[in-house]
Amino acid sequence: MENLLRPLIVVGGSVALTLFIGWATDRLLCKADERHPETSLWGLLRRGRIPYQLVLCAALLRGSFDRAEVLEDHRVGVGRTLTLVLIGSAAWLAVRIVGAVVETTYTRYARVHHDAARVRRVRTQVSLIMRVVSAVVGVVAVAAMLLTFPAFRAAGASLLASAGIIGIVAGVAAQSTLSNMFAGFQIAFGDMVRMGDTVVVDGEWGTVEEITLTFLTVRTWDERRITMPVSYFTSKPFENWSRGTPQMTGIVYWHVDHTAPLDAMREKLRDILRECPAWDGRAYGLAVTDTTPNTLQVRALATAKDADDIWTVRVTVREKMIRWLAEEHPYALPRVNTADALLPPNRTNGRVPGGIAPQRRVHESPRADR
């Protein structure tokens, strides 16, 4: 009976004590979260209750397993397994605690500062810092686990002796990976590109969705994801529409006939923008920027508060102006001349010098889609 009760008391008592301490700690965190609603730290710390209970249970079992007098032949293996579980759960708990502290700090910073660009920069830095911390903790935990095996401790001297050669080989083999990692740090703390920025890379317009130490993901307007190494942004030029202030000026071009009513187009542009919620009201304008033998190139510009709104403004102005011209001034749309526009003034008896008879002026029907 004693051989049966002893392991039940040791194992069952460790598990019961772990559950009780875990429940009591969780209740204390809940009360602290209710008393301090201005901070989310206590609520975020509750995410670590599972690794916390694993640490408690592994520590209690590791300390009391010898008293259970069970599995005597496998005592070393069981003890080493409990040690590995203790190290792994402790590393897991450390990552959760650091994550809760960092996320609370970022939330407080975002609540106080209303500059979207600065908030995105801090968010990018916090994200990369958390990845670095997780990687460091993981490496330390794995190293501690390996040191629990006597064979690895005995081979430590030879490993250290060959560390120089291994480091050189690893550096050559992982040259691109290391360059991407350093590029990731440069992006995070150099404020080149941030999560949430609107960028144009390789002719693709999108929003930076994720930044890691080695790669960056851009979500395009049609919801595709472009993944590229972070070293691309440190070695090649790219457009960052969110750099500095997010305000932007959009441009729309039309080709119209030489007889187009430019003053009426300016008034119509003003009316279109007043009815467009995306226009921020800062500026607008319409001017002739170029001319060809058949058309005028007319440019309209308008402003908006960010890249998404400027896209809405541009497509709205382009569509409504073309529709208005097609309905109210169809003659202003581009036409193709199939004959001379005017005859020379010194014609004789209906014939021009050289004996060439005058031709009729014929125009194609206006096209509203150009």
Side-chain angles (χ1 to χ4, degrees):
M1 182 64 67
E2 182 179 358
N3 294 333
L4 180 62
L5 291 178
R6 187 186 298 273
L8 288 178
I9 293 175
V10 171
V11 178
S14 299
V15 173
L17 185 59
T18 297
L19 294 176
F20 175 75
I21 296 177
W23 174 81
T25 305
D26 188 65
R27 294 304 304 168
L28 290 176
L29 291 176
C30 288
K31 290 183 179 180
D33 190 29
E34 294 175 356
R35 292 179 181 179
H36 302 281
E38 72 280 359
T39 177
S40 58
L41 175 62
W42 309 110
L44 293 174
L45 286 176
R46 295 186 62 202
R47 298 178 181 178
R49 56 182 178 270
I50 294 179
Y52 175 67
Q53 292 179 355
L54 282 177
V55 169
L56 290 176
C57 187
L60 291 174
L61 289 176
R62 185 67 181 87
S64 60
F65 180 76
D66 292 339
R67 298 179 178 273
E69 296 182 0
V70 62
L71 299 176
E72 294 290 337
D73 298 336
H74 304 282
R75 178 178 300 179
V76 176
V78 173
R80 185 168 297 158
T81 301
L82 292 176
T83 302
L84 295 177
V85 173
L86 178 60
I87 295 174
S89 58
W92 186 9
L93 179 61
V95 171
R96 286 295 178 88
I97 292 175
V98 173
V101 174
V102 172
E103 188 171 347
T104 302
T105 305
Y106 165 73
T107 304
R108 186 178 304 171
Y109 181 89
R111 189 184 300 118
V112 174
H113 295 81
H114 302 287
D115 187 353
R118 294 181 61 184
V119 171
R120 288 199 302 270
R121 180 181 62 187
V122 173
R123 177 186 174 189
T124 303
Q125 295 174 354
V126 165
S127 177
L128 291 177
I129 289 174
M130 275 304 305
R131 294 180 185 275
V132 172
V133 170
S134 301
V136 171
V137 172
V139 170
V140 172
V142 171
M145 290 179 180
L146 293 177
L147 290 177
T148 59
F149 297 90
F152 285 97
R153 289 199 300 266
S158 59
L159 289 175
L160 290 176
S162 59
I165 300 176
I166 294 176
I168 294 174
V169 174
V172 174
Q175 183 177 3
S176 59
T177 303
L178 293 176
S179 64
N180 281 328
M181 291 183 62
F182 286 114
F185 283 110
Q186 186 176 354
I187 286 177
F189 297 98
D191 198 22
M192 300 173 57
V193 61
R194 299 153 299 196
M195 296 176 64
D197 280 3
T198 301
V199 297
V200 179
V201 290
D202 287 340
E204 296 283 353
W205 180 89
T207 304
V208 178
E209 187 176 52
E210 183 182 6
I211 300 177
T212 68
L213 289 176
T214 56
F215 67 89
L216 184 147
T217 302
V218 177
R219 177 172 55 84
T220 60
W221 63 272
D222 54 357
E223 297 186 356
R224 291 181 292 115
R225 268 68 175 179
I226 301 177
T227 301
M228 55 186 60
V230 292
S231 58
Y232 175 93
F233 292 87
T234 59
S235 59
K236 296 182 181 181
F238 64 95
E239 296 182 27
N240 189 342
W241 291 9
S242 302
R243 181 74 175 178
T245 61
Q247 298 174 345
M248 297 193 66
T249 299
I251 297 176
V252 180
Y253 286 101
W254 299 282
H255 287 275
V256 297
D257 192 76
H258 291 160
T259 59
L262 298 179
D263 293 335
M265 291 179 66
R266 292 187 179 95
E267 295 179 359
K268 184 61 179 178
L269 175 64
R270 179 194 59 195
D271 297 338
I272 293 174
L273 291 176
R274 287 178 176 176
E275 296 175 357
C276 182
W279 181 52
D280 62 0
R282 288 189 296 122
Y284 75 95
L286 187 143
V288 177
T289 56
D290 197 3
T291 180
T292 68
N294 295 321
T295 61
L296 296 176
Q297 185 184 66
V298 179
R299 184 198 68 186
L301 59 86
T303 58
K305 64 180 179 63
D306 54 29
D308 292 335
D309 283 354
I310 201 62
W311 173 263
T312 303
V313 170
R314 292 176 61 192
V315 296
T316 301
V317 169
R318 184 183 296 111
E319 176 185 349
K320 291 189 176 182
M321 183 66 74
I322 288 293
R323 183 181 301 172
W324 176 75
L325 288 175
E327 294 176 354
E328 302 294 335
H329 304 278
Y331 61 89
L333 296 173
R335 295 174 290 176
V336 178
N337 294 329
T338 59
D340 296 334
L342 293 175
L343 295 176
N346 57 345
R347 59 187 176 179
T348 304
N349 294 330
R351 300 182 65 85
V352 299
I356 301 176
Q359 300 177 357
R360 298 176 57 190
R361 183 184 181 187
V362 183
H363 299 287
E364 290 186 359
S365 60
R367 295 178 61 188
D369 59 342
R370 292 185 57 183

